[in-house]
Amino acid sequence: LLVFSISWLVGAVSARLFAPPGSRNTFTFLVGTPNWIYLPLPIAQELWGADGVRAVLLCNVAAQLLLWSVGVALLRQQLFSRELLRKALLNPGIAAAVVGIALALSIPEARSWRGLDLRQTSSVALGAAKVVLEALHLLGSVTIPLSLVLIGAQLGGMTATRSAGGRGLGALVASRLLVAPLICVAMFQALARSGWAIPTTPLRVATVVSAMPVAVTCGIIVERYGGSVPTAARAIVVTTLASILTVPLVVYAIVAWGGVG
């Protein structure tokens, strides 16, 4: 919530300074919506294993709620509606997270079911649970490869015109990849100094998310709910390419600053 809120505020200020009046809402939306799952997921899995993946998926809950409420309302230039609230609450990703959390809290031993030896258990229910969990684990293991294919397909489908570039695009890229993440980290530091103990892995994941390029799905959302599609397409392509350089630099600066470790 903090990452998205700060990013949208940065986008709103930057849009007033650099974006044409007709595309300010799109500019704000793009700066405020980092790629919160497709790109952070493989990074978190590689660096922090299962804990990192869980943190990314939990970030997805807040991101989906904000996307379908504040984000869409911003593009539509109208206040929240029951339709937007219904879409946010019925989102499959949010429902899956709620069910998973409820299962973990109510049946803590469920995490061990996948490791059962069917030859050593006489319980039909536990055997069935193992088979189901194995199947779900297999499906889950292809999430990252499929997400990377999806990113490529969506970027390939974008139409980025030359008229969408210029000074405004440069400000958008800088706001998304440099200004917003550094302000987020400064806020994390302030919260830590105030005595709020933030768990290490969620803090690291939130930091990585704050430094991500514009979310690929923004192109579809902008086209569906109103906004400048060329601006969205160009911002997605340019920030994704630029993030190859900026993400390592931002994370290195954070580590040197004593932030996420």
Side-chain angles (χ1 to χ4, degrees), residues 125-186:
L126 288 179
K130 172 183 172 61
V131 172
V132 171
L133 288 176
E134 286 285 2
L136 292 175
H137 179 73
L138 179 62
L139 289 174
S141 65
V142 301
T143 298
I144 293 175
L146 287 179
S147 70
L148 296 178
V149 172
L150 177 61
I151 289 175
Q154 289 182 322
L155 287 176
M158 296 292 174
T159 302
T161 63
R162 292 184 179 275
S163 61
R167 181 166 169 257
L169 179 63
L172 192 157
V173 173
S175 299
R176 169 81 301 278
L177 296 179
L178 296 174
V179 179
L182 292 177
I183 292 178
C184 285
V185 173

Side-chain angles (χ1 to χ4, degrees), residues 38-201:
Y38 290 138
L39 292 181
L41 195 59
I43 294 173
Q45 184 181 50
E46 179 66 24
L47 295 178
W48 306 301
D51 286 344
V53 172
R54 280 192 289 269
V56 172
L57 296 178
L58 287 174
C59 283
N60 182 51
V61 176
Q64 293 285 357
L65 285 171
L66 288 171
L67 177 66
W68 294 108
S69 55
V70 178
V72 174
L74 183 65
L75 290 174
R76 283 186 165 181
Q77 303 183 45
Q78 67 178 35
L79 297 176
F80 307 130
S81 66
R82 290 184 177 181
E83 177 192 357
L84 297 181
L85 180 61
R86 180 181 62 81
K87 286 185 176 181
L89 294 178
L90 296 181
N91 183 278
I94 295 174
V98 170
V99 171
I101 292 170
L103 180 63
L105 293 176
S106 58
I107 314 176
E109 64 272 17
R111 64 182 301 170
S112 66
W113 290 348
R114 196 169 66 87
L116 288 174
D117 187 341
L118 293 179
R119 295 170 298 180
Q120 297 179 4
T121 180
S122 59
S123 173
V124 176
L126 288 179
K130 172 183 172 61
V131 172
V132 171
L133 288 176
E134 286 285 2
L136 292 175
H137 179 73
L138 179 62
L139 289 174
S141 65
V142 301
T143 298
I144 293 175
L146 287 179
S147 70
L148 296 178
V149 172
L150 177 61
I151 289 175
Q154 289 182 322
L155 287 176
M158 296 292 174
T159 302
T161 63
R162 292 184 179 275
S163 61
R167 181 166 169 257
L169 179 63
L172 192 157
V173 173
S175 299
R176 169 81 301 278
L177 296 179
L178 296 174
V179 179
L182 292 177
I183 292 178
C184 285
V185 173
M187 184 64 69
F188 294 153
Q189 292 279 350
L191 290 173
R193 286 194 297 270
S194 69
W196 184 25
I198 308 175
T200 302
T201 300

Side-chain angles (χ1 to χ4, degrees), residues 5 18 93 142 153 203 205 236 244 257:
S5 299
F18 301 107
V142 301
L203 175 60
V205 167
I236 291 167
I244 297 173
W257 190 10

Side-chain angles (χ1 to χ4, degrees), residues 4 33-41 151 176 208-218 236 240:
F4 275 70
T33 313
N35 194 314
W36 70 88
I37 190 164
Y38 290 138
L39 292 181
L41 195 59
I151 289 175
R176 169 81 301 278
V208 169
V209 170
S210 73
M212 286 291 106
V214 176
V216 179
T217 51
C218 284
I236 291 167
T240 299

